[in-house]
Amino acid sequence: MNIFHISAECYPVAKAGGLGDVVGSLPKYLNKSGHKATVVLPHYHNKWLQDAETEMIFEGRAPFGNGSFAFRISRLTEPDLGFELILVDIPGRFDRPGIYLDPWSGHPYWDEKERFFSFQIAVMEWLTGHPEKPDIVHCHDHHTALVPFMMAHSFRYSLLSTIPTVITIHNGEYQGRYDMESATLLPEFETGKLGLLDWDGQLNALATGIKTAWKVSTVSEGYLYELQEYCHGLEVLLRQEQGKSVGILNGIDTEVWDPSTDNYLHENYALHKYKVGKERNKEELLRLFNLKKGRPLISFIGRLVREKGADLLPDLIKKCHSEHIEASFLILGTGEPGLQEKFEKLQDQYTGYFDTRLEYNEWLAHQIYAGSDYLIMPSRVEPCGLNQLYSMRYGTIPIVRNIGGLADTVKDISKPSGYGIVFENFNLDEAAEAVQRSVELFKREKDFGKTRRRIMQLDFSWEKAAKNYVKMYHSMK
């Protein structure tokens, strides 16, 4: 099959979260399994793309409301990502370094609607004239969710109307809501289909994708059921469309995330020498952050936002310190300014017990996965979660809330063949109890070692996940 993935993110080219990881991995493993997968991405003017080599393959104009815009299509020639990458350059829209946010101000770009509407329209223009039509068009999140509608109902793109489409919901928190007048920006479509764009009196891009795509998928089975219960107003729609919906657990790229070959690590290690490797990488982290030895190191990596439960962490660290729980805490990430300020104050107050690096740092993230004893994820919402999968690959035990993809991938140590620390409700007492349980496990060296060995052998690879996507694609043929 020939599968086109349309996305706003793709690792390592442009990544803001888990969406980028998925789109940077799934196509590679689809190609390895004998299919042809291509990724279509906006041509951001970031450092990665400035250093890459590309060739222009198409140039044209596309309709946009009462006017039009110019666009260029390029192909990445170097480096090889394991799949073909097509880049859509729209002057005045994507000639900026950020994906969603201005990196200088930290604020969202004011013209999100114009940027992603024009990106989707440009892709439709190019695909319509492209001699090799895809067998499947796979769209990701609300930034590309108008594509199934335009393929099915825009007169201009009628040649694409019989191609099956998929919309994957990576995060239902963001839906692309605009006023209904925004529909006039799209190429002409059947007026009787205007209602497909409407949800609760607004043009809702994600709702449109759910209504019009042939299949709807989420990034874990648990997240699909949670969205049907609560999705900021879309739960009724998702229940209505459950017959065409499927939850497929994400995988991880085991070539990128391999402690035996990872170039970011202070020292590489394999399963048979994991203990020495983990100890030496932990020593390096303790040195870098001046944290005390002889205690379990509990780390958090990710966006410092409410969705990830990061706002629970300052009080959790204070509570653990006041109750003399012998652990060390380390946080890597950026996010809400008020929360970052809290962590900076804690850093000064609890030297040796807590430290932080308030930045996005890919090298340090890998080192933390390798050198930590535990990774904590107290998420309010977690569609799939990849960090807990990365941590287990590196022998770092996850401490997670029983939600979404975390519930699908982490089994509490109290259960037969369990291998993680799981707590149910989002509150300080349960999170602190989970930390205390992790300290107790750390002290039981034999059980701790067995658990680390077990998680390093779990299979959360993309080879396994890609087969489930192929099964979904075949069901549409």
Side-chain angles (χ1 to χ4, degrees):
M1 282 183 291
N2 182 10
I3 305 124
F4 270 54
H5 292 267
I6 308 174
S7 175
E9 299 179 36
C10 177
Y11 177 83
V13 186
K15 171 188 165 182
L19 167 61
D21 286 317
V22 172
V23 180
S25 299
L26 173 57
K28 179 165 71 173
Y29 285 89
L30 289 172
N31 284 338
K32 285 185 174 185
S33 64
H35 301 281
K36 181 181 179 183
T38 300
V39 174
V40 186
L41 185 77
H43 195 148
Y44 304 105
H45 284 217
N46 60 14
K47 187 178 186 307
W48 197 97
L49 281 170
Q50 287 172 351
D51 293 342
E53 294 182 19
T54 63
E55 62 174 358
M56 192 170 73
I57 58 175
F58 186 82
E59 193 168 11
R61 295 194 70 85
F64 199 67
N66 294 325
S68 64
F69 64 91
F71 69 96
R72 293 183 289 267
I73 304 290
S74 300
R75 178 191 291 114
L76 180 73
T77 56
E78 289 289 340
D80 181 13
L81 300 178
F83 53 85
E84 184 175 59
L85 179 67
I86 300 297
L87 299 160
V88 180
D89 188 17
I90 304 173
R93 297 281 187 241
F94 291 101
D95 42 6
R96 314 166 191 178
I99 301 174
Y100 314 117
L101 306 177
D102 179 351
W104 305 112
S105 70
H107 294 298
Y109 288 121
W110 63 272
D111 57 348
E112 177 196 88
K113 176 175 69 178
E114 289 79 7
R115 295 176 84 218
F116 289 109
F117 275 38
S118 59
F119 167 60
Q120 293 171 87
I121 293 168
V123 174
M124 293 294 90
E125 290 289 314
W126 174 65
L127 268 183
T128 298
H130 194 55
E132 186 181 1
K133 298 292 187 291
D135 297 309
I136 303 285
V137 171
H138 192 149
C139 305
H140 296 267
D141 271 349
H142 77 86
H143 324 96
T144 63
L146 296 175
V147 165
F149 173 83
M150 288 191 285
M151 288 176 61
H153 303 297
S154 290
F155 301 123
R156 193 176 180 92
Y157 310 129
S158 60
L159 289 176
L160 307 175
S161 62
T162 59
I163 299 174
T165 53
V166 180
I167 178 72
T168 293
I169 305 172
H170 297 260
N171 194 332
E173 298 282 301
Y174 307 102
Q175 300 179 4
R177 297 187 185 96
Y178 312 102
D179 58 71
M180 283 304 297
E181 186 67 20
S182 303
T184 61
L185 297 176
L186 301 177
E188 189 178 359
F189 55 86
E190 304 169 42
T191 54
K193 303 299 182 182
L194 181 64
L196 293 172
L197 298 167
D198 183 7
W199 191 257
D200 198 23
Q202 291 181 301
L203 190 158
N204 185 309
L206 185 59
T208 301
I210 294 168
K211 292 177 188 178
T212 56
W214 293 33
K215 283 281 186 181
V216 176
S217 74
T218 61
V219 290
S220 71
E221 191 172 354
Y223 190 52
L224 174 60
Y225 298 134
E226 287 173 13
L227 288 177
Q228 290 172 356
E229 294 301 316
Y230 181 70
C231 186
H232 298 279
L234 296 187
E235 53 276 356
V236 174
L237 175 61
L238 284 160
R239 288 197 293 269
Q240 290 172 349
E241 301 289 356
Q242 63 183 329
K244 66 176 184 182
S245 302
V246 60
I248 300 176
L249 184 68
N250 283 339
I252 61 172
D253 190 332
T254 52
E255 294 178 355
V256 173
W257 298 96
D258 184 348
S260 68
T261 58
D262 191 334
N263 292 327
Y264 288 126
L265 302 192
H266 175 68
E267 183 164 324
N268 293 113
Y269 58 95
L271 179 63
H272 66 285
K273 287 188 176 181
Y274 82 91
K275 190 172 182 180
V276 172
K278 292 284 293 179
E279 285 176 356
R280 290 178 179 170
N281 280 291
K282 182 177 179 179
E283 287 171 3
E284 178 66 8
L285 277 183
L286 298 181
R287 183 189 68 79
L288 287 171
F289 290 95
N290 193 27
L291 295 167
K292 289 184 180 179
K293 298 180 180 180
R295 299 174 170 182
L297 176 57
I298 302 172
S299 299
F300 173 93
I301 301 172
R303 290 181 293 128
L304 304 178
V305 294
R306 187 177 183 278
E307 176 189 343
K308 296 295 181 183
D311 55 317
L312 186 69
L313 295 175
D315 288 337
L316 177 62
I317 293 164
K318 290 178 187 176
K319 183 177 177 66
C320 291
H321 187 269
S322 68
E323 295 181 0
H324 306 291
I325 294 176
E326 293 190 355
S328 297
F329 292 87
L330 176 60
I331 287 175
L332 172 67
T334 61
E336 297 170 3
L339 194 51
Q340 291 191 180
E341 190 176 330
K342 286 183 180 181
F343 287 126
E344 286 173 341
K345 289 179 180 177
L346 282 178
Q347 189 176 9
D348 296 332
Q349 291 174 333
Y350 297 142
T351 302
Y353 192 79
F354 166 72
D355 209 342
T356 184
R357 190 71 67 82
L358 299 174
E359 61 185 48
Y360 175 86
N361 188 317
E362 191 73 23
W363 159 76
L364 186 54
H366 285 242
Q367 184 61 43
I368 290 172
Y369 286 123
S372 299
D373 297 300
Y374 295 95
L375 184 85
I376 188 164
M377 297 178 70
S379 306
R380 282 186 177 85
V381 178
E382 196 60 70
C384 172
L386 293 171
N387 289 7
Q388 82 277 16
L389 307 184
Y390 299 147
S391 76
M392 290 190 282
R393 175 82 165 148
Y394 285 65
T396 296
I397 299 169
I399 304 171
V400 304
R401 183 168 167 243
N402 194 33
I403 192 81
L406 300 177
D408 288 349
T409 55
V410 181
K411 190 175 183 181
D412 192 82
I413 55 169
S414 65
K415 297 179 179 179
S417 302
Y419 48 84
I421 308 287
V422 180
F423 63 100
E424 287 293 326
N425 299 301
F426 187 87
N427 65 56
L428 188 57
D429 288 340
E430 289 197 30
E433 183 186 358
V435 170
Q436 180 61 53
R437 290 176 65 208
S438 71
V439 173
E440 291 168 0
L441 176 62
F442 179 79
K443 290 177 181 177
R444 301 196 307 271
E445 290 187 26
K446 189 175 181 180
D447 291 338
F448 182 65
K450 283 182 178 178
T451 304
R452 291 203 293 185
R453 287 185 62 85
R454 182 179 301 141
I455 60 177
M456 289 183 74
Q457 296 176 77
L458 295 174
D459 182 9
F460 291 109
S461 66
W462 266 115
E463 283 98 337
K464 183 177 179 180
K467 290 177 182 177
N468 292 324
Y469 277 100
V470 170
K471 183 178 179 181
M472 177 182 66
Y473 298 149
H474 278 307
S475 74
M476 295 186 286
K477 299 298 286 180

